[in-house]
Structure formats: C-alpha cells, structure tokens
Amino acid sequence: MTVRHRVAVLALDGVMALDLGIPSQVFGCATDSAGHRLYETRVCTPDGGPIRASAGFSVQPDHGLDLLDWADTVIVPGIHRDRLDAPTTIAALTALRAAHAAGKRIMSICTGAYVLAAAGLLDERPAATHWAYADDFRGRFPQVALDADVLFIDDGQVLTSAGVAAGLDLCLHVIRRDHGSEVANRAARRCVVAPWRDGGQSQFIERPLPAPGDASTAATREWVLARLGEPLDLDQLARHARMSVRTFTRRFREETGLSPGRWLTRQRIEHARHLLESTDLTIDQVAERAGFGTAVSLRQHLRATVGTAPLAYRRTFRTTT
C-alpha cells in the first residue's frame, strides 16, 4: 500500500482563491505507475471555522491548527497584506513556528511569503513572492533575501513561490523533488499545464511592448529541444533565429528570463533526468544524448542541480514511478 505524504493547507482570512485550490489540485494528480495517489491534502483554518476568500465567498474547512501536527508539509496560500495583524493570523504564526521546529516542510504561494516572513521563518533566507509587491516586502522584511525574478525558491525545508500561477510551478517542483520527473510530468499532464516553465518572473513584469517586426526566439527554442544531444553554441542559435548574437541574447532573456546558456543547460538536465528514470541507457549514453558529452560533466551538473549523482538518482526514482 502506498504511504501518502500528508499536506496541510493553512488558509487565513482573505485567502487568495486560486492559491487555495492549487495544492489540492496538483498534489491530487500525483500518482505512481499503478495509479495510487502519493499525497493526501487537507485544508485548515486557525480556529477550524469559516473564513472569507478574496473572491467574495466563504471557505468552510474540516480542520483547525491541529492539522499541522498531522502534516508532513504545510502550505500557506496568499492573503491580503493588511490581514497580517489579525488575531487568527497571529495564532497561525505560532503554529507555523512550531511546525518548522518539528522539521516539517513549509511552503508559501504568492503573498503567503508575508506570513512566513512575519513568523520569522524567512530570516536570512532567500525567498520569492509576487513581483508587484517586491518593494513593499523588502521594506517590511529587510532581513529576508527576496529574489523578485524567480518563479520559486527551494531553500530546503522552506520553499516560496512567486505570484499566483507560480504556485503550480512550486507544487510540481516538490513532486519532482519527492518522486522524480516522470511523476511530476504525469501530474502536469493531468492538470493540463507545462511541467516546467522557462525563466522567472522577470518575463511577466510590465514592460513596453516590443517594436513591430521584432522576431521571437520561440522557433529556435523548439529547434534546440530537438537537438539537445548535439553541440550547440550561441552563434548557431543566433544564426537559426536570423539575428545578431547581441539581439538574440537580449530577446531570449526578455522572453524566458534566462540567458541562452542557462536555459540550454536546464533543458539538458531535465532531459537527462527523464532518460535516467525511463530508460536503461548507461550513464555515458545518457550524458551523450542529453548533450553533456561525458559522464563526468553530467555528474557535475546533476549534482549541482538536484544534489545527487546519476546512478543514485536512477536508483531513487526508477523504483518510485
């Protein structure tokens, strides 16, 4: 029988409706190869009573703060920033500190990072929140190393996401971390979302529209994905896009939030993870097909990204999918 990881979603007054629904939906779609669910998600409020969501309806949970004792992971969805001083929020801060001290994984979506910061759980940590509130957040919590460019930050026990839909990215990342890319990709397909979005929040920040006639790098990105095993350099990519290297690099970063080199490395790592989980290829063959050339290069990149070597990664995730 599959042992389900237990997830508690702590909803506070003024909770953002979409943020509240994301964990149940995404984790509910995570299954093993036999179709058994890998997570059990429940919702609680500070006193077990109803709260008002930001969208103008009430939420009636089945649990109070005692649910945090049951949980392996606690998630705080976004709330209105002016609710931080509410008595029920203050009670939740105490419970979050206790959950963190007990070793539970703590996550936030969007402005839920305000709650974690108010609880002191983000002190001297990197964190993410919605880009539109970055200046306000830094003013309130200067002790937090806010990164307004990324979609989410995994700092081990504490994880935070950027605004709204970035909660999807964070939950899929957690599934990938817990069970590998095959399970995460399967959950993404069930949710009809991309298993991995390129870049960070910077691509969504309001900017002047590109001048008419500006070309896109999308076709070149598709071209690259079909050739990950080949040697590729910036000059080749720019030529394919019919741009100068300088224009291509600028346009690529505007569209993805990443440099071409960093984006390419990320795609190669994801492809290597997929091959390690789903094939019997040797490590040398995986390295070649993913474009790393040698097992040594693959080992270095995989360890830097997920903290483990290729063989250990395969042993872990081939048995859980």
Side-chain angles (χ1 to χ4, degrees), residues 17 20 51-59:
L20 175 62
I51 58 169
R52 292 288 291 175
S54 62
F57 56 81
S58 295
V59 177

Side-chain angles (χ1 to χ4, degrees), residues 220 223 233-249:
T220 297
W223 178 80
D233 59 32
L234 185 56
D235 287 337
Q236 288 175 279
L237 272 59
R239 281 198 301 272
H240 182 272
R242 298 182 180 180
M243 301 179 192
S244 69
V245 169
R246 181 176 180 180
T247 299
F248 176 80
T249 301

Side-chain angles (χ1 to χ4, degrees), residues 128-184:
T129 193
H130 196 298
W131 63 264
Y133 306 125
D135 290 341
D136 177 74
F137 188 94
R138 290 189 180 103
R140 295 194 193 202
F141 306 108
Q143 71 276 22
V144 180
L146 183 70
D147 187 340
D149 183 42
V150 297
L151 291 176
F152 61 82
I153 288 179
D154 180 342
D155 194 41
Q157 187 185 353
V158 180
L159 303 89
T160 52
S161 88
V164 196
L168 293 164
D169 300 282
L170 179 58
C171 290
L172 287 170
H173 165 75
V174 167
I175 295 171
R176 188 178 297 108
R177 185 174 109 172
D178 290 348
H179 298 286
S181 62
E182 282 295 294
V183 173

Side-chain angles (χ1 to χ4, degrees), residues 56-315:
F57 56 81
S58 295
V59 177
Q60 177 63 66
D62 293 328
H63 306 279
L65 287 175
D66 56 339
L67 187 67
L68 273 60
D69 295 328
W70 165 86
D72 303 306
T73 293
V74 179
I75 303 177
V76 181
I79 65 168
H80 282 297
R81 294 165 292 158
D82 59 2
R83 306 295 178 90
L84 287 176
D85 295 330
T88 53
T89 302
I90 294 173
L93 300 183
T94 300
L96 284 168
R97 294 186 194 104
H100 178 265
K104 299 176 187 296
R105 180 163 61 193
I106 310 294
M107 297 166 53
S108 67
I109 297 174
C110 194
T111 51
Y114 278 77
V115 179
L116 301 195
L121 302 185
L122 299 181
D123 288 359
E124 310 305 324
R125 285 184 180 273
T129 193
H130 196 298
W131 63 264
Y133 306 125
D135 290 341
D136 177 74
F137 188 94
R138 290 189 180 103
R140 295 194 193 202
F141 306 108
Q143 71 276 22
V144 180
L146 183 70
D147 187 340
D149 183 42
V150 297
L151 291 176
F152 61 82
I153 288 179
D154 180 342
D155 194 41
Q157 187 185 353
V158 180
L159 303 89
T160 52
S161 88
V164 196
L168 293 164
D169 300 282
L170 179 58
C171 290
L172 287 170
H173 165 75
V174 167
I175 295 171
R176 188 178 297 108
R177 185 174 109 172
D178 290 348
H179 298 286
S181 62
E182 282 295 294
V183 173
N185 292 348
R186 189 159 54 237
R189 287 193 295 271
R190 290 286 302 274
C191 293
V192 199
V193 297
W196 183 277
R197 284 198 291 170
D198 298 328
Q201 286 195 95
S202 60
Q203 61 191 304
F204 303 110
I205 296 174
E206 295 174 356
R207 293 187 175 90
L209 292 173
D214 276 7
S216 170
T217 64
T220 297
R221 296 199 301 274
E222 290 295 323
W223 178 80
V224 168
L225 291 176
R227 295 166 175 79
L228 289 174
E230 302 176 13
L232 297 168
D233 59 32
L234 185 56
D235 287 337
Q236 288 175 279
L237 272 59
R239 281 198 301 272
H240 182 272
R242 298 182 180 180
M243 301 179 192
S244 69
V245 169
R246 181 176 180 180
T247 299
F248 176 80
T249 301
R250 173 181 57 79
R251 195 79 180 112
F252 197 100
R253 189 180 291 275
E254 287 174 351
E255 293 179 359
T256 71
L258 296 172
S259 69
R262 187 176 174 188
W263 178 87
L264 178 57
T265 298
R266 178 174 288 180
Q267 304 309 315
R268 284 177 164 159
I269 290 170
E270 288 305 305
H271 187 47
R273 291 171 71 169
H274 170 73
L275 293 174
L276 288 168
E277 293 177 31
S278 61
T279 74
D280 293 319
L281 295 171
T282 67
I283 302 304
D284 285 327
Q285 289 171 324
V286 170
E288 182 178 356
R289 293 196 185 189
F292 288 111
T294 67
V296 171
S297 178
L298 171 61
R299 188 176 299 110
Q300 291 172 340
H301 282 91
L302 194 66
R303 187 175 293 280
T305 303
V306 299
T308 190
L311 281 175
Y313 183 89
R314 170 173 276 169
R315 282 195 299 269

